Amino acid sequence: MGLKFRPVDASFYELFTQSAGHILTGAGLLAEMLADGADRETVASRMRDAEHAADETTHAIIKQVNSTFVTPFDREDIYDLASGLDDIMDMMDEAVDLILLYEPSVLPSELSNQVEVIQRCAELTVEAMPRLKSMADLSEYWIEINRLENQGDKSFRRILASLFSGKYEPMDVLKLKDIVTSLEGAIDCFEKIANTVEQIAVKES
Protein backbone atom coordinates (compact mmCIF):
# COMPACT_ATOMS: atom_id res chain seq x y z
CA MET A 1 0.00 0.00 0.00
CA GLY A 2 1.52 3.34 -1.06
CA LEU A 3 2.18 6.14 1.38
CA LYS A 4 0.54 9.50 0.80
CA PHE A 5 2.85 12.47 0.85
CA ARG A 6 1.44 15.66 2.31
CA PRO A 7 3.65 18.77 2.07
CA VAL A 8 4.54 20.54 5.30
CA ASP A 9 3.68 23.93 3.75
CA ALA A 10 0.68 25.19 5.73
CA SER A 11 -0.04 28.23 3.55
CA PHE A 12 -3.05 26.63 1.83
CA TYR A 13 -4.76 25.93 5.15
CA GLU A 14 -3.98 29.44 6.36
CA LEU A 15 -5.41 30.95 3.18
CA PHE A 16 -8.59 28.87 3.37
CA THR A 17 -9.02 29.91 7.00
CA GLN A 18 -8.45 33.53 6.00
CA SER A 19 -11.07 33.20 3.26
CA ALA A 20 -13.58 31.75 5.73
CA GLY A 21 -12.78 34.65 8.05
CA HIS A 22 -13.83 37.11 5.36
CA ILE A 23 -17.13 35.24 5.08
CA LEU A 24 -17.69 35.50 8.83
CA THR A 25 -17.09 39.25 8.58
CA GLY A 26 -19.53 39.46 5.68
CA ALA A 27 -22.19 37.54 7.59
CA GLY A 28 -21.89 40.02 10.43
CA LEU A 29 -22.30 42.93 8.03
CA LEU A 30 -25.32 41.23 6.52
CA ALA A 31 -26.92 41.11 9.97
CA GLU A 32 -26.07 44.79 10.48
CA MET A 33 -27.75 45.65 7.17
CA LEU A 34 -31.04 44.20 8.43
CA ALA A 35 -30.93 45.98 11.78
CA ASP A 36 -33.36 48.78 12.50
CA GLY A 37 -31.80 52.17 11.93
CA ALA A 38 -28.79 50.76 10.10
CA ASP A 39 -26.62 53.20 8.14
CA ARG A 40 -26.98 51.19 4.96
CA GLU A 41 -24.56 53.25 2.91
CA THR A 42 -21.80 52.67 5.46
CA VAL A 43 -22.56 48.98 5.89
CA ALA A 44 -22.63 48.46 2.12
CA SER A 45 -19.28 50.23 1.80
CA ARG A 46 -17.75 47.98 4.48
CA MET A 47 -19.19 44.94 2.74
CA ARG A 48 -17.56 46.01 -0.54
CA ASP A 49 -14.24 46.31 1.28
CA ALA A 50 -14.71 42.85 2.79
CA GLU A 51 -15.62 41.40 -0.60
CA HIS A 52 -12.49 42.92 -2.17
CA ALA A 53 -10.36 41.46 0.63
CA ALA A 54 -11.98 38.07 0.00
CA ASP A 55 -11.18 38.36 -3.72
CA GLU A 56 -7.54 39.03 -2.89
CA THR A 57 -7.39 35.90 -0.74
CA THR A 58 -8.99 33.86 -3.52
CA HIS A 59 -6.40 35.16 -5.99
CA ALA A 60 -3.64 34.27 -3.51
CA ILE A 61 -4.95 30.69 -3.30
CA ILE A 62 -5.06 30.35 -7.09
CA LYS A 63 -1.57 31.83 -7.41
CA GLN A 64 -0.30 29.45 -4.74
CA VAL A 65 -1.77 26.35 -6.37
CA ASN A 66 -0.40 27.36 -9.77
CA SER A 67 3.11 27.77 -8.37
CA THR A 68 3.15 24.64 -6.17
CA PHE A 69 4.38 21.36 -7.60
CA VAL A 70 2.86 19.08 -4.94
CA THR A 71 -0.40 20.38 -3.43
CA PRO A 72 -1.88 19.15 -0.12
CA PHE A 73 -4.83 17.64 -1.97
CA ASP A 74 -6.19 17.55 -5.54
CA ARG A 75 -5.85 20.80 -7.45
CA GLU A 76 -9.43 20.54 -8.67
CA ASP A 77 -10.66 20.34 -5.08
CA ILE A 78 -8.54 23.36 -4.13
CA TYR A 79 -10.06 25.34 -7.00
CA ASP A 80 -13.57 24.21 -6.04
CA LEU A 81 -13.05 25.16 -2.41
CA ALA A 82 -11.56 28.55 -3.24
CA SER A 83 -14.25 29.45 -5.78
CA GLY A 84 -17.01 28.16 -3.50
CA LEU A 85 -15.87 30.34 -0.62
CA ASP A 86 -15.66 33.29 -3.00
CA ASP A 87 -19.20 32.59 -4.25
CA ILE A 88 -20.58 32.81 -0.71
CA MET A 89 -19.04 36.24 -0.26
CA ASP A 90 -20.37 37.36 -3.63
CA MET A 91 -23.92 36.29 -2.76
CA MET A 92 -23.83 38.13 0.57
CA ASP A 93 -22.43 41.23 -1.11
CA GLU A 94 -25.21 41.00 -3.68
CA ALA A 95 -27.89 40.83 -0.96
CA VAL A 96 -26.48 43.89 0.82
CA ASP A 97 -26.20 45.80 -2.45
CA LEU A 98 -29.78 44.97 -3.40
CA ILE A 99 -31.07 46.22 -0.05
CA LEU A 100 -29.16 49.45 -0.59
CA LEU A 101 -30.27 49.94 -4.21
CA TYR A 102 -33.86 48.73 -3.95
CA GLU A 103 -34.64 50.57 -0.70
CA PRO A 104 -37.53 48.22 0.16
CA SER A 105 -40.18 49.89 2.31
CA VAL A 106 -40.16 46.89 4.64
CA LEU A 107 -37.81 44.03 5.46
CA PRO A 108 -39.75 41.03 6.79
CA SER A 109 -38.55 39.81 10.19
CA GLU A 110 -38.30 36.32 8.68
CA LEU A 111 -35.19 37.41 6.78
CA SER A 112 -33.32 37.23 10.08
CA ASN A 113 -33.84 33.45 10.04
CA GLN A 114 -31.89 33.17 6.81
CA VAL A 115 -29.16 35.48 8.09
CA GLU A 116 -28.86 33.46 11.31
CA VAL A 117 -28.33 30.32 9.22
CA ILE A 118 -25.66 32.11 7.19
CA GLN A 119 -23.90 33.32 10.34
CA ARG A 120 -23.87 29.84 11.87
CA CYS A 121 -22.60 28.30 8.63
CA ALA A 122 -19.85 30.93 8.53
CA GLU A 123 -18.81 30.16 12.12
CA LEU A 124 -18.65 26.44 11.39
CA THR A 125 -16.65 27.03 8.21
CA VAL A 126 -14.07 29.15 10.03
CA GLU A 127 -13.68 26.33 12.56
CA ALA A 128 -13.46 23.64 9.87
CA MET A 129 -10.87 25.11 7.50
CA PRO A 130 -7.82 24.62 9.80
CA ARG A 131 -8.89 20.99 10.31
CA LEU A 132 -8.26 20.28 6.63
CA LYS A 133 -4.63 19.90 7.63
CA SER A 134 -5.31 16.86 9.82
CA MET A 135 -8.71 15.88 8.35
CA ALA A 136 -9.90 15.47 11.96
CA ASP A 137 -13.57 15.67 12.95
CA LEU A 138 -14.68 17.08 9.60
CA SER A 139 -17.75 14.84 9.30
CA GLU A 140 -19.44 16.91 12.00
CA TYR A 141 -18.96 19.94 9.78
CA TRP A 142 -20.59 18.68 6.62
CA ILE A 143 -23.42 16.98 8.53
CA GLU A 144 -24.30 20.19 10.38
CA ILE A 145 -23.98 22.36 7.27
CA ASN A 146 -26.36 20.06 5.41
CA ARG A 147 -28.82 20.28 8.32
CA LEU A 148 -28.60 24.07 8.31
CA GLU A 149 -29.04 24.18 4.52
CA ASN A 150 -32.27 22.19 4.88
CA GLN A 151 -33.38 24.64 7.57
CA GLY A 152 -32.55 27.51 5.22
CA ASP A 153 -34.59 25.91 2.43
CA LYS A 154 -37.64 25.69 4.67
CA SER A 155 -37.20 29.31 5.73
CA PHE A 156 -36.85 30.37 2.09
CA ARG A 157 -40.10 28.63 1.11
CA ARG A 158 -41.98 30.21 4.02
CA ILE A 159 -40.69 33.68 3.17
CA LEU A 160 -41.76 33.26 -0.46
CA ALA A 161 -45.21 32.10 0.66
CA SER A 162 -45.48 35.18 2.86
CA LEU A 163 -44.38 37.48 0.03
CA PHE A 164 -47.09 36.14 -2.26
CA SER A 165 -49.78 36.14 0.41
CA GLY A 166 -51.11 39.52 -0.66
CA LYS A 167 -49.96 41.53 2.36
CA TYR A 168 -47.09 43.21 0.49
CA GLU A 169 -47.16 45.79 -2.26
CA PRO A 170 -46.35 44.27 -5.69
CA MET A 171 -43.16 46.32 -6.07
CA ASP A 172 -41.95 45.24 -2.64
CA VAL A 173 -42.64 41.61 -3.56
CA LEU A 174 -40.32 41.90 -6.56
CA LYS A 175 -37.59 43.62 -4.55
CA LEU A 176 -37.76 41.26 -1.58
CA LYS A 177 -37.84 38.15 -3.77
CA ASP A 178 -34.47 39.14 -5.27
CA ILE A 179 -33.01 39.77 -1.82
CA VAL A 180 -34.17 36.49 -0.26
CA THR A 181 -33.01 34.61 -3.36
CA SER A 182 -29.50 36.02 -2.88
CA LEU A 183 -29.54 34.94 0.76
CA GLU A 184 -30.70 31.48 -0.25
CA GLY A 185 -27.90 31.40 -2.81
CA ALA A 186 -25.33 32.03 -0.08
CA ILE A 187 -26.76 29.18 2.02
CA ASP A 188 -26.69 26.83 -0.98
CA CYS A 189 -23.02 27.72 -1.53
CA PHE A 190 -22.20 26.63 2.01
CA GLU A 191 -23.63 23.21 1.18
CA LYS A 192 -21.37 23.03 -1.88
CA ILE A 193 -18.39 23.83 0.36
CA ALA A 194 -19.43 21.09 2.78
CA ASN A 195 -19.73 18.61 -0.09
CA THR A 196 -16.26 19.57 -1.34
CA VAL A 197 -14.79 19.13 2.14
CA GLU A 198 -16.41 15.71 2.38
CA GLN A 199 -15.01 14.76 -1.01
CA ILE A 200 -11.52 15.85 0.05
CA ALA A 201 -11.76 13.92 3.32
CA VAL A 202 -12.89 10.74 1.54
CA LYS A 203 -10.02 10.96 -0.95
CA GLU A 204 -7.45 11.56 1.78
CA SER A 205 -8.70 8.83 4.14
Side-chain angles (χ1 to χ4, degrees):
M1 180 173 158
L3 296 175
K4 290 186 177 180
F5 172 69
R6 185 185 295 280
V8 178
D9 182 7
S11 60
F12 281 106
Y13 311 111
E14 293 167 358
L15 287 168
F16 282 130
T17 302
Q18 187 180 108
S19 184
H22 294 311
I23 290 170
L24 186 60
T25 297
L29 291 170
L30 193 54
E32 283 188 46
M33 196 68 172
L34 296 183
D36 292 335
D39 182 345
R40 291 179 178 172
E41 287 277 2
T42 299
V43 175
S45 177
R46 290 162 58 203
M47 176 62 96
R48 283 192 291 273
D49 289 342
E51 196 273 334
H52 290 155
D55 279 345
E56 289 178 4
T57 301
T58 301
H59 295 322
I61 293 171
I62 301 304
K63 182 178 179 181
Q64 183 76 1
V65 75
N66 288 338
S67 62
T68 301
F69 181 65
V70 181
T71 55
F73 38 86
D74 285 356
R75 292 173 187 273
E76 183 179 348
D77 292 330
I78 292 174
Y79 287 129
D80 286 346
L81 199 52
S83 64
L85 291 166
D86 191 58
D87 287 344
I88 294 169
M89 198 69 191
D90 287 344
M91 295 306 297
M92 292 192 297
D93 180 50
E94 179 178 283
V96 165
D97 202 35
L98 288 175
I99 293 170
L100 178 68
L101 295 174
Y102 283 178
E103 298 180 336
S105 60
V106 60
L107 287 174
S109 59
E110 294 91 345
L111 289 186
S112 64
N113 295 332
Q114 278 187 305
V115 174
E116 286 171 8
V117 168
I118 288 171
Q119 287 182 296
R120 184 56 186 146
C121 286
E123 291 168 357
L124 292 170
T125 302
V126 167
E127 295 169 2
M129 290 301 102
R131 298 205 299 272
L132 286 169
K133 190 172 183 178
S134 63
M135 297 294 165
D137 303 320
L138 282 170
S139 62
E140 297 173 3
Y141 169 68
W142 64 69
I143 289 170
E144 182 60 9
I145 290 291
N146 285 326
R147 186 192 71 78
L148 287 166
E149 194 274 336
N150 289 333
Q151 180 181 323
D153 280 347
K154 291 177 182 177
S155 176
F156 178 60
R157 291 193 293 270
R158 281 163 176 72
I159 293 171
L160 287 183
S162 177
L163 289 180
F164 292 107
S165 67
K167 64 181 180 180
Y168 293 97
E169 293 295 325
M171 189 59 69
D172 278 331
V173 171
L174 295 174
K175 294 175 179 179
L176 292 169
K177 184 175 182 292
D178 281 353
I179 293 166
V180 298
T181 298
S182 294
L183 296 175
E184 173 67 6
I187 295 171
D188 287 343
C189 287
F190 276 111
E191 184 181 37
K192 292 176 183 176
I193 290 296
N195 291 340
T196 300
V197 169
E198 181 178 10
Q199 180 175 295
I200 292 168
V202 168
K203 288 179 180 179
E204 296 298 314
S205 62

